[in-house]
Amino acid sequence: VERESRLGGAAAGVVCGLAVTASMLALQRRRSSPSKTAARYTTQVILPALQWIKTGLKASDLQATELKAKNLAGVDVLVGKDGSGKLFCVGNLCPHIGTPMSEGADVIGDVIVCPLHGSSFKVTTGELIDWCPSPPIIGPLTGLPIEKKNLAVFDVRSSFFGGDIEVLVDTNAKKAWEADYWKGILDAQGKDDGTYY
């Protein structure tokens, strides 16, 4: 009986030793290979990369006060002509709450008016003229908690031969925005293509 208890104790010791060794090897392997969900974003500053991009429109395609929305290198822009027929390009989203200006904005002279709360901006400089004047009472209340901002303005040109409309866009704008957006708690969600930052 004494011999059987020694063999049982030795077997238990061998099994425990193997379990400890296996767990140590697994832990070492886990430390040596990078995790799939490890944060891979960079703290590097992403600098602007300005480039003239064709919109697919010609100057003759637009009438005075007409607007066309385009997405150029991940940047939503609104190309149009003011009341006198001069070409302009502004950001498509109103700085108030991000309403697409292409969904009913009016161009009056050289001013564009947001379709939702009536904020108005100069198309040449993006300067704020009026902040959320409509509908009465509700419009001004929605504008109170949000910082007043100017509308983004982009350089625009029409080519001499062919009349193609080109806009000067920062091709790194989306990348720079995403770099800040995904830091911190959202890292675990990963990118649209299934990889992680």
Side-chain angles (χ1 to χ4, degrees):
V1 173
E2 191 177 300
R3 186 172 178 213
E4 285 179 13
S5 68
R6 276 192 214 162
L7 286 175
V14 170
V15 170
C16 286
L18 287 174
V20 168
T21 304
S23 65
M24 294 293 280
L25 287 172
L27 182 63
Q28 185 180 14
R29 194 175 324 128
R30 211 177 292 143
R31 286 183 181 164
S32 65
S33 65
S35 172
K36 273 184 137 180
T37 59
R40 293 190 189 113
Y41 59 82
T42 178
T43 56
Q44 174 186 357
V45 175
I46 299 172
L47 299 174
L50 298 175
Q51 184 177 352
W52 287 100
I53 298 180
K54 291 186 179 186
T55 61
L57 298 170
K58 296 191 179 292
S60 58
D61 293 344
L62 296 171
Q63 303 301 319
T65 72
E66 188 178 0
L67 303 167
K68 296 277 184 179
K70 292 289 178 179
N71 185 296
L72 306 175
V75 179
D76 290 322
V77 297
L78 193 61
V79 180
K81 288 187 177 178
D82 64 14
S84 64
K86 185 179 179 202
L87 209 55
F88 70 86
C89 183
V90 295
N92 190 24
L93 301 179
C94 179
H96 176 217
I97 57 172
T99 304
M101 300 285 260
S102 58
E103 300 297 321
D106 291 323
V107 178
I108 304 164
D110 67 343
V111 173
I112 189 167
V113 181
C114 175
L116 189 58
H117 295 113
S119 296
S120 54
F121 308 88
K122 287 191 71 79
V123 296
T124 52
T125 62
E127 176 188 354
L128 173 65
I129 296 172
D130 202 3
W131 186 252
C132 304
S134 65
I137 300 172
I138 296 170
L141 286 176
T142 64
L144 282 177
I146 296 155
E147 178 186 349
K148 295 180 180 181
K149 297 178 189 169
N150 291 336
L151 183 64
V153 175
F154 298 88
D155 289 338
V156 63
R157 69 183 182 191
S158 176
S159 64
F160 186 71
F161 295 108
D164 294 325
I165 299 174
E166 298 175 338
V167 177
L168 187 63
V169 174
D170 176 11
T171 56
N172 281 345
K174 183 177 180 184
K175 188 181 198 182
W177 182 81
E178 283 181 346
D180 286 335
Y181 181 78
W182 288 108
K183 288 180 185 173
I185 198 165
L186 295 176
D187 284 339
Q189 293 182 6
K191 293 194 270 184
D192 289 339
D193 64 4
T195 60
Y196 294 94
Y197 288 87

